[in-house]
Amino acid sequence: MKVDLNSDLGESFGRYRLGLDEEVMNHITSANVATGWHAGDPVVMRKTVRLAREKGVAVGAHPGYPDLLGFGRRYMRLTPEEARNYILYQIGALYAFTRAEGIELQHVKPHGALYNALVKEEELARAVIEGIADFDRNLIFVTLSGSRPAEMAEEMGVKVAHEVFADRAYNPDGTLVSRLRPGAVIHDKEEIAERVISMVKDGGVRAINGEWVELKADTICVHGDNPEAVEIASHIRKVLEEEGVRIVPMKEVVR
C-alpha cells in the first residue's frame, strides 16, 4: 500500500512570508507550488522549486484565480476560454523554473476557490482539464476524491490523483465543509492521524454528521500555512509508515 503526501507551498510574496516551506518539505513527497496569481512571485517560485529539488520532492503547479488580495479564496466567474488559458499560462510559468532547475513537472492542483468550483461546475472543470492537456497530457490532475472532475479527467484520458484532506471535515456528499463553519478545520494531530489511516486503509472517513463517506486516497494534502503544520505532517508520515504504508511521490501512485 502506498500514498503521496502533498502540501501547498511557495505562497510567500515579496516581503511577506507565508508558510513553513522548508520545514514541511522534509515530510512530504509532492509540493504544489503557487504560480503567482493567488500567491507567490518569480523569486519565490524558483526558490521553492530549487528547495524541492534539493530535498527530492516532486513538483506540481498550483494555479488559482487572479486574486492576490483574496488569496484565491474568492469565487470568480470565468468563461471556459478564460479558464483554459489561465491554467495553461500558470503551468507554463512554473515549468520555466522546473526546467531551469533540471527537474520534471509532475502534476497540477488547482487552488482554493477554483478547486472547489470545479466540483460544482462541469463546464469549468472541463476547461481546466483541457488546459492541463494542452500543456502535457501526462501531467497528473489533482482533484477531490470521487468527484465529477476526477471522472471527467479519466474520460478525457488525463491522469488523475484522487486527493483527500488530512485536516478538513467532510460533508456527507464527499465535499469539504466550508471554512466558515465551526469544525471545518481539525487541529488535533491524533484525530488527524486516525482519519488519515481510515481514508488510506479503510477507503473512507466519517463526515461531520457521522455518516460514512467513501474516498479513494492517492494523495493526502497536509497544509503548510499554520503553526502546527510541521508537527502534523511529521506525525502523519510516522503513523502511516508504522501502519506499513509507503510514502512515495504521486507519479508512483498514479500510473
Side-chain angles (χ1 to χ4, degrees):
M1 189 173 293
K2 54 190 176 182
V3 72
D4 171 64
L5 292 183
N6 79 73
S7 189
D8 304 341
L9 303 176
E11 293 181 326
S12 297
F13 181 77
R15 296 178 60 188
Y16 303 97
R17 188 183 180 211
L18 181 64
L20 303 165
D21 291 9
E22 187 163 0
E23 296 89 340
V24 171
M25 199 90 76
N26 291 322
H27 307 290
I28 63 172
T29 41
S30 295
N32 317 309
V33 181
T35 50
W37 278 23
H38 77 276
D41 62 41
V43 174
V44 171
M45 289 165 70
R46 182 152 198 177
K47 180 180 179 181
T48 308
V49 170
R50 181 175 293 157
L51 181 64
R53 174 177 60 78
E54 292 170 352
K55 292 184 177 290
V57 172
V59 169
H62 196 37
Y65 287 130
D67 181 26
L68 275 175
L69 191 63
F71 195 65
R73 288 184 175 161
R74 300 182 294 190
Y75 174 76
M76 298 177 69
R77 185 173 297 278
L78 303 180
T79 66
E81 182 181 18
E82 287 172 331
R84 183 171 183 170
N85 289 309
Y86 285 4
I87 291 298
L88 183 60
Y89 180 94
Q90 292 180 79
I91 294 172
L94 188 67
Y95 174 71
F97 295 108
T98 59
R99 180 167 180 176
E101 291 296 327
I103 61 175
E104 68 177 55
L105 190 61
Q106 174 188 248
H107 66 278
V108 179
K109 174 186 169 179
H111 166 80
L114 178 60
Y115 183 102
N116 293 328
L118 301 186
V119 178
K120 302 174 182 178
E121 300 181 29
E122 189 165 316
E123 189 176 44
L124 179 66
R126 183 175 302 279
V128 166
I129 297 165
E130 287 173 343
I132 294 170
D134 285 342
F135 188 86
D136 185 349
R137 192 170 290 275
N138 290 314
L139 287 175
I140 300 168
F141 170 50
V142 182
T143 191
L144 190 65
S145 179
S147 65
R148 177 58 183 147
E151 295 177 351
M152 291 174 63
E154 290 167 352
E155 292 166 0
M156 295 166 66
V158 173
K159 295 179 180 179
V160 180
H162 290 255
E163 181 178 40
V164 297
F165 289 78
D167 60 354
R168 293 293 303 277
Y170 279 82
N171 293 308
D173 64 357
T175 59
L176 300 177
V177 173
S178 168
R179 287 176 178 268
L180 300 176
R181 287 187 57 191
V185 180
I186 302 163
H187 299 282
D188 181 79
K189 70 176 184 179
E190 298 301 336
E191 182 181 357
I192 290 171
E194 289 177 8
R195 292 170 65 83
V196 165
I197 293 300
S198 176
M199 289 187 280
V200 174
K201 301 195 76 173
D202 299 330
V205 72
R206 292 291 171 187
I208 196 165
N209 68 347
E211 291 184 31
W212 181 255
V213 180
E214 291 189 0
L215 298 169
K216 180 181 180 183
D218 292 325
T219 183
I220 302 167
C221 179
V222 291
H223 287 106
D225 59 353
N226 66 72
E228 304 94 3
V230 177
E231 184 179 5
I232 289 173
S234 173
H235 188 62
I236 288 172
R237 181 160 189 157
K238 176 176 176 290
V239 170
L240 283 171
E241 290 177 336
E242 288 174 349
E243 291 286 328
V245 180
R246 292 177 55 222
I247 311 301
V248 299
M250 207 178 295
K251 61 188 176 183
E252 295 184 33
V253 180
V254 178
R255 298 294 185 179

